[in-house]
Amino acid sequence: MYAVIPAGGTGSRLWPRSRRSAPKHMLPLSGSGKPLIEETYDRIAPVADGVYVLTEERQVPMICSLLPELDQDHLIAEPSARGTTNALALAAATLLAEDSEAVMVSVAADHVIRGESAYRRTVERAAAVAQSSRELVAVGLKPTYPATGFGYIEVGGEERFGRSRAHRVERFVEKPALETAERYVADGRHFWNIATFAFRCDVFLEELDELGPEHAQGVRKVVELRRRGEFEKAARLYGKLPVEVVDRTVMERTSRLLMVQASFDWVDVGSWSELADLLRADPDGNVTEGVPVLIDTHNSFISVPDKLVAVIGMDDLIVVDTDDALLVCPKSRAQDVKKVVEQLNERRLTGYL
């Protein structure tokens, strides 16, 4: 089983800390002091025959500096960001060229996991099911609250594959409204989609031949051009491939999808409010970094590492300071931080990105 860690994007809802020069997965956000990608590598390496990092070429130097133990041959670099369909196809085709029986597990670089032994057992079980069933396998997590920011996996009956069991997936569900999410939590047939997948590389590419042939054919050609040393031509071809997420291209449409249930704690640190919920708070519910003076302030996230900050009479507040930018917003608007990034792009203020 080969582990592939997709490490792209910037984490726009964690601006101004997450930037192009320091994307979310390269930040120490879990409280351990380690960057998230290093935690991911350390967590998956003991159960993988090899660990690969899938990233954009511009991030390669940063990845190498954070993971000096990573074999340079285990860096799969996209010439440009072209969506998760092309990225996972590139990883699958690259592994398949080295091992015709390759089983790949894709694990996100920017998630926080509690319960590493349970996590490893789940990943091993997903890989075993993918191998024996010749189907695609998603890892689903039983929801603990009616989240509206996650996708869901609806499952049917359970089946046995070798020594392991897995549910047949009925459908992938987009981020639901609150009332629908409450129903999902109650019915026991819906699980959070945590973007962790296992599959034989040849099976994934077979499905992509059927469901996204332009991606499959293009990526195979890219891998062949790279093998021949024609890297510029490969980059031009890759840059012309359509941008699509793998959930829509494959997972929502395939009839060959199973789900293995996870048994660990998981957090996708997608916003400052979610990070605040993850870290230890003081008796007033405040999570702080730096030297804060808080008066009648509660349930707030204050990250101002290099100066004193005073906050008076505020509740549910987010304050994040960096050398060149300051973010202030209510916790309830944490998801809207990505709109700041969109405006900076529109106004061409790229120095702040």
Side-chain angles (χ1 to χ4, degrees):
M1 178 261 286
Y2 302 98
V4 173
I5 304 173
T10 58
S12 59
R13 286 173 295 178
L14 288 173
W15 184 91
R17 195 65 56 77
S18 181
R19 305 285 187 98
R20 290 174 179 172
S21 59
K24 170 184 167 185
H25 50 273
M26 299 185 186
L27 300 177
L29 297 177
S30 73
S32 73
K34 292 182 178 181
L36 293 181
I37 190 171
E38 184 179 351
E39 288 188 353
T40 304
Y41 183 94
D42 292 345
R43 189 164 52 238
I44 195 65
V47 294
D49 295 316
V51 180
Y52 291 74
V53 174
L54 171 65
T55 190
E56 301 169 62
E57 285 185 353
R58 66 181 179 85
Q59 291 194 25
V60 165
M62 293 182 282
I63 297 289
C64 291
S65 67
L66 291 175
L67 298 176
E69 65 272 45
L70 181 69
D71 189 326
Q72 296 299 298
D73 292 336
H74 286 194
L75 270 168
I76 304 173
E78 290 185 277
S80 56
R82 303 300 296 172
T84 54
T85 299
N86 296 314
L88 292 185
L90 180 63
T94 300
L95 291 177
L96 198 60
E98 300 295 327
D99 180 355
S100 62
E101 299 291 318
V103 174
M104 167 178 153
V105 177
S106 173
V107 295
D110 55 2
H111 293 172
V112 176
I113 303 294
R114 305 291 193 223
E116 292 193 358
S117 295
Y119 170 83
R120 290 172 183 146
R121 287 194 300 269
T122 300
V123 168
E124 289 180 305
R125 189 163 72 252
V129 170
Q131 175 66 55
S132 60
S133 68
R134 294 189 62 87
E135 300 196 48
L136 311 178
V137 180
V139 174
L141 189 67
K142 189 175 181 62
T144 55
Y145 65 95
T148 58
F150 304 148
Y152 287 73
I153 304 170
E154 182 181 354
V155 300
E158 199 173 39
E159 304 175 25
R160 180 172 290 279
F161 300 92
R163 297 181 179 179
S164 300
R165 302 181 71 86
H167 289 274
R168 178 69 54 185
V169 172
E170 300 291 338
R171 63 176 181 141
F172 264 52
V173 184
E174 290 293 322
K175 298 173 183 177
L178 179 59
E179 184 177 345
T180 303
E182 289 172 342
R183 190 170 71 250
Y184 290 168
V185 172
D187 69 20
R189 294 185 297 107
H190 290 81
F191 295 78
W192 285 336
N193 171 24
I194 62 172
T196 298
F197 302 106
F199 43 75
R200 284 181 57 109
C201 293
D202 55 353
V203 170
F204 178 79
L205 291 172
E206 284 172 11
E207 284 300 278
L208 199 57
D209 279 328
E210 177 69 24
L211 302 172
E214 188 173 358
H215 300 281
Q217 294 166 14
V219 166
R220 283 194 180 96
K221 182 64 174 176
V222 166
V223 171
E224 175 60 21
L225 288 169
R226 285 181 162 185
R227 188 188 66 79
R228 300 203 306 251
E230 299 182 53
F231 296 105
E232 290 186 8
K233 189 173 181 180
R236 288 196 298 271
L237 175 58
Y238 194 80
K240 294 177 181 178
L241 295 177
V243 177
E244 292 184 279
V245 296
V246 73
D247 286 7
R248 292 200 177 99
T249 311
V250 178
M251 302 304 172
E252 292 179 2
R253 300 168 60 204
T254 182
S255 60
R256 301 169 69 183
L257 184 59
L258 304 168
M259 190 207 77
V260 165
Q261 182 176 344
S263 57
F264 49 83
D265 293 330
W266 166 88
V267 179
D268 177 12
V269 189
S271 70
W272 288 114
S273 61
E274 290 169 353
L275 180 61
D277 291 340
L278 175 68
L279 300 177
R280 180 174 297 178
D282 67 17
D284 290 320
N286 299 309
V287 176
T288 61
E289 180 184 16
V291 186
V293 176
L294 307 181
I295 299 172
D296 295 330
T297 294
H298 308 87
N299 303 316
S300 293
F301 181 86
I302 313 292
S303 178
V304 184
D306 59 352
K307 64 172 68 73
L308 184 145
V309 60
V311 182
I312 303 171
M314 302 297 292
D315 292 334
D316 301 307
L317 183 70
I318 292 172
V319 179
V320 180
D321 185 54
T322 66
D323 289 342
D324 62 349
L326 172 67
L327 168 70
V328 181
C329 72
K331 274 189 177 180
S332 61
R333 301 293 299 276
Q335 297 291 332
D336 289 337
V337 172
K338 64 182 179 182
K339 295 180 180 179
V340 175
V341 175
E342 291 168 1
Q343 284 209 20
L344 292 174
N345 271 310
E346 290 171 5
R347 295 166 62 181
R348 299 183 181 179
L349 296 172
T350 55
Y352 296 99
L353 298 173

